Amino acid sequence: MAISAALILAAGKGTRMKSALVKVLHELAGRPMLGWPLAAAREAGAGQIVIVAGHQADQVQKRFRAVPGIKIALQEEQLGTGHAVSCSLDQLDGLSGAVLILCGDTPLLTAATLQRLAAEHAASGAAVTVLTARLERPFGYGRIVRDSEGRVRRIVEQKDASPDEQAIDEVNSGIYCMELEFLRAHIGRLGSENAQNEYYLTDLVGIAVAEHAGCSAVVADDPDEIMGVNDRVQLAHAARILRQRINLQLMLAGVTLVDPDQTYIDASVQVGSDTVIWPGCVLRGATSIGSGCTLENNVRVSDCVIADRVQLKAGSVLSEAQVAEDVSVGPMAHLRPGSVLQAQVKIGNFVETKKVVMGTGSKASHLTYLGDAEIGSDVNIGCGTITCNYDGRHKHKTVIGDGVFVGSDVQLVAPVTVGANALIAAGTTVTQDVPPDSLAIARTPQVNKTDWCLKKRDNG
Ligand code: UD1
Ligand code: CA
């Protein structure tokens, strides 16, 4: 039951999305819609995948061209699903055997179902095997017409169906397994004499029956799997189901989700066991979270590597950061790209970091901006510290050695270096390098004018 390739039909525009973006590139749980059936086909064993693109083909190509084993076929004019397949066949030259045909807008399809489809296809020896489903409301779908012995005879589209046929509750999913030889031999026979004047791929079922080439069917266990997304309501519905699947896997693997219905984790994210995730968290992209971490409410993490036992407190936002063991971040902290926090670092509330390495045990507990800096270990950054890294044209670096104590309300005007174990007095604007073990202080000396306020009041 080896599958040689998969075709994914994705040339349609998706008018009901009412979007400037082609339907199959809308995102669900961190993947473009088309990426879901594509992953299922891959997992089911399809080595070569051909995407049939039409509307915004350049966008589709841009998004998928870097993925190995993917070719794009162009269907310039959308003349129907049969026409779409015929546009793609020369991309499969040299291949033979079974090919899966999928739609780019069915994100809930699973690899397990495709494997069942391929297994039935191989076992029956049919030229065409169709995935079907029984629906309470079959309106709009093609119907599976069977004979009195239950054998599939043909598929009739909603718009072409007689009232009797419209009463059939078994529908065509638009997902098939077909023999390439059969496809190549018969695709040219499809006509467009039907209610929509389209070349229907579904007519191949009737042709397979007439040619005694065999037609078989597999009924999907879960009708959700064949659900096509056509508008934003269905997009939200499908995305919710995908999130539920992701969350279920994580919970079974030992992650506590305090409220899985309010936890938004991309398919690409990894989370270690005994990590607790509170509601409102959003974990995206190439993110991995270690074991024994706590993510409080409304933490957003994208493309970060977070080690074990890290505390991410409420409302923190992290992107492209690396966080080592036992670090604490937030509440309401912002780690921007290039932030590297070594073990036991503490970042407190309203602290922003960007392109910063902070050594083991260093702390910036309150209201601070650290950008373009290299900070050693056991450094204390006082409240309100600012690295002044930008002169309006260029970015400059601040280097702070191990064991430095930076008092509150300090500005470090980069480029500047503070030597190890130095102390910067509160309120200092550091404009020159500070040698190790030294005190830097730059403040106007305080003057107290005794009774000045009283006199000011008396004079009027
Ligand atoms: C098709 C089936 C129908 C089935 C339904 C399941 C046919 C004739 N009918 O109907 O039996 O119940 O899917 O959802 O096949 N596409 C192209 N090029 C085209 C036309 C379509 O690439 O010229 C792509 C679309 O982008 C989409 C898929 O094919 O991904 C299905 O097209 P759609 O128009 O939604 O098919 P239906 O008319 O709904
Ligand atoms: Ca259509």
Side-chain angles (χ1 to χ4, degrees):
M1 62 157 158
I3 296 161
S4 39
L7 292 176
I8 305 181
L9 310 189
K13 183 176 178 209
T15 311
R16 281 174 282 168
M17 294 297 286
K18 308 217 165 118
S19 176
L21 182 69
V22 67
K23 176 167 78 177
V24 291
L25 293 183
H26 280 259
E27 195 199 284
L28 303 94
R31 267 188 198 149
M33 197 183 299
L34 178 53
W36 287 97
L38 200 155
R42 266 281 154 73
E43 209 185 316
Q48 181 65 59
I49 289 170
V50 179
I51 297 171
V52 183
H55 279 280
Q56 294 183 13
D58 49 333
Q59 299 292 325
V60 174
Q61 183 152 21
K62 216 162 90 192
R63 185 64 184 71
F64 289 99
R65 94 180 130 211
V67 187
I70 289 184
K71 292 183 183 172
I72 310 278
L74 199 60
Q75 185 195 23
E76 306 240 12
E77 239 187 312
Q78 282 72 55
L79 303 178
T81 48
H83 178 253
V85 169
S86 70
C87 291
S88 71
L89 285 182
D90 54 355
Q91 304 275 358
L92 297 175
D93 278 353
L95 291 178
S96 61
V99 60
L100 291 170
I101 301 177
L102 317 177
C103 294
D105 60 359
T106 53
L108 299 178
L109 180 69
T110 64
T113 295
L114 287 179
Q115 275 154 352
R116 262 183 70 213
L117 182 69
E120 164 62 20
H121 181 78
S124 70
V128 174
T129 307
V130 51
L131 179 67
T132 74
R134 294 196 180 276
L135 300 185
E136 266 170 45
R137 272 168 293 173
F139 183 87
Y141 286 90
R143 306 297 208 289
I144 306 295
V145 181
R146 294 182 184 251
D147 65 15
S148 53
E149 278 148 68
R151 290 174 303 195
V152 176
R153 305 314 288 171
R154 58 193 185 93
I155 296 175
V156 61
E157 292 304 294
Q158 173 74 39
K159 289 185 179 146
D160 302 291
S162 67
D164 276 355
E165 289 164 340
Q166 289 183 19
I168 298 171
D169 71 346
E170 186 180 14
V171 305
N172 171 27
S173 67
I175 294 157
Y176 319 83
C177 190
M178 295 196 197
E179 286 304 300
L180 262 171
E181 286 77 357
F182 174 84
L183 258 182
R184 288 190 182 110
H186 298 287
I187 193 102
R189 287 174 57 186
L190 298 178
S192 57
E193 303 77 38
N194 51 51
Q196 303 184 82
N197 295 317
E198 286 181 5
Y199 294 90
Y200 289 168
L201 183 62
T202 45
D203 286 349
L204 282 178
V205 168
I207 293 174
V209 170
E211 296 289 323
H212 305 287
C215 179
S216 189
V218 167
V219 186
D221 295 328
D222 173 7
D224 267 352
E225 280 204 37
I226 70 146
M227 176 200 161
V229 171
N230 294 306
D231 57 31
R232 312 258 183 170
V233 178
Q234 292 168 329
L235 181 75
H237 178 70
R240 176 188 297 265
I241 292 171
L242 289 169
R243 284 197 303 271
Q244 283 169 348
R245 289 185 192 166
I246 293 167
N247 290 349
L248 183 81
Q249 289 306 315
L250 288 170
M251 289 187 285
L252 292 175
V255 178
T256 294
L257 302 181
V258 174
D259 183 354
D261 290 339
Q262 294 188 64
T263 306
Y264 308 85
I265 303 180
D266 282 359
S268 49
V269 172
Q270 292 173 359
V271 186
S273 61
D274 288 325
T275 285
V276 177
I277 302 179
W278 286 82
C281 287
V282 180
L283 309 183
R284 295 185 53 95
T287 290
S288 79
I289 311 263
S291 302
C293 296
T294 301
L295 279 66
E296 293 182 359
N297 302 55
N298 305 322
V299 167
R300 185 178 177 97
V301 184
S302 352
D303 303 311
C304 289
V305 178
I306 311 283
D308 297 341
R309 299 179 306 277
V310 168
Q311 307 283 315
L312 301 179
K313 297 188 181 168
S316 294
V317 177
L318 294 80
S319 56
E320 295 170 52
Q322 285 178 50
V323 177
E325 311 78 64
D326 303 301
V327 165
S328 166
V329 174
M332 287 160 291
H334 189 186
L335 303 192
R336 293 171 48 207
S339 298
V340 177
L341 307 185
Q342 290 168 357
Q344 289 141 35
V345 161
K346 178 170 189 270
I347 296 291
N349 51 193
F350 307 109
V351 173
E352 174 182 344
T353 64
K354 184 217 75 170
K355 263 199 187 172
V356 163
V357 179
M358 263 180 104
T360 308
S362 289
K363 293 188 173 78
S365 299
H366 334 264
L367 298 155
T368 286
Y369 172 65
L370 300 171
D372 300 293
E374 222 179 273
I375 299 170
S377 52
D378 298 314
V379 170
N380 182 80
I381 305 281
C383 175
T385 297
I386 298 168
T387 53
C388 310
N389 58 334
Y390 187 49
D391 62 13
R393 267 195 272 170
H394 301 290
K395 297 281 167 73
H396 301 282
K397 196 164 177 181
T398 300
V399 178
I400 300 177
D402 294 343
V404 167
F405 184 96
V406 179
S408 297
D409 189 30
V410 164
Q411 299 85 48
L412 296 137
V413 181
V416 72
T417 297
V418 180
N421 302 313
L423 193 154
I424 315 287
T428 295
T429 301
V430 181
T431 53
Q432 299 165 33
D433 289 354
V434 180
D437 302 305
S438 314
L439 168 71
I441 180 162
R443 309 174 188 147
T444 318
Q446 182 169 333
V447 177
N448 288 342
K449 300 197 176 177
T450 313
D451 295 338
W452 185 88
C453 299
L454 283 177
K455 286 178 207 151
K456 169 115 177 141
R457 242 176 277 146
D458 292 346
N459 294 344

